[in-house]
Amino acid sequence: RSPASVTKIMTLILIFDALENGTLKMDDLVTTSAYAKSMGGSQVFLEEGETQDVETMIKCIVIASGNDASVAMAEHIGGSEQEFVRQMNERAAGLGMENTHFVDCCGLTESTDHYTTVRDIAIMSRELITHEKIFDYTLTWMDTVRNGETQLVNTNKLIRSYQGITGLKTGTTSQAGSCITATAERDGLELIGVVLGADSTDHRFQDAAALLDYGFANWKVVVPKLPALERVPVSRGMTSDVAPQAGESPKLLLQSTETGEVETNVSWKELVAPISKGDVIGTVQYTLNGETLAQVEITAGEDVEAVTFSSALGYLLSALFGLS
């Protein structure tokens, strides 16, 4: 289906990618071209030749869904909207968005070659919110730019009415209908609800809220504690054991009706020196009612050298005579 301005999720991903890799900075100045100014639909009425910094452009895209700001940023990053759209499609393919094709950066087009699915929108929404800075803008109800001369009002009414809402983006055209990708978090459970083709803006918000309600009512996140780990025996090493380090406890997604306790089982490899810090030496397995839910690697917290004749001799002399 046509996603309308929900398209801008991918535009924002490329913007935040550039900020993360250092090719773009928040205070870089972006100049509006005649083409960017000519965009219709939702806009902030940028003038040809007008310059605004990147952060202002992000506000205009996220809060007010500015098509002109989206195109200006596309031209700034890609050199042209066409090249930027090529990068959008390349990024989409890399994320596994198998049923998506973009022809512009803002979703204003009526081309049937511009399409996606709710699943693919959920995928790119999940990718965007890995950039936590995005929430500074998606949760802003009102702001101003141009030294207070232009007011921005968020198009996502859920941020004022839905408990736990964190974003994300709306879109509306006559072809696409009313669309939204809505993100929310409660008690560690993060959800994404996507609605395409609603017959009114009110209905898209109601449908998105219903999707999120369903998720929060039927699912929960459990974060089990890591078991205490003691030093692990090592054969043929200069030391007889090694300190283990476990990764972070996993977030386990469970149905709300799930009963029983999450069990942990630690298994170790048979360790023979040499061992390097960071080598995988074991695993923690999390199970519920016999089903494996997650597995966390345990790594060596230090190097352990193998015993050699020279190292053993040096150790013996050091022990006997205090030599280094």
Side-chain angles (χ1 to χ4, degrees), residues 236-238 305-319:
R236 303 176 189 174
M238 288 298 295
E305 295 181 11
V307 173
T308 63
F309 177 78
S310 59
S311 64
L313 180 60
Y315 180 81
L316 180 61
L317 292 174
S318 177

Side-chain angles (χ1 to χ4, degrees), residues 229-232 234 241-245 281 298-302 304:
L229 302 176
E230 298 181 353
R231 294 182 69 89
V232 187
V234 178
D241 52 28
V242 64
Q245 288 186 337
I281 61 175
I298 305 171
T299 59
E302 58 200 354
V304 178

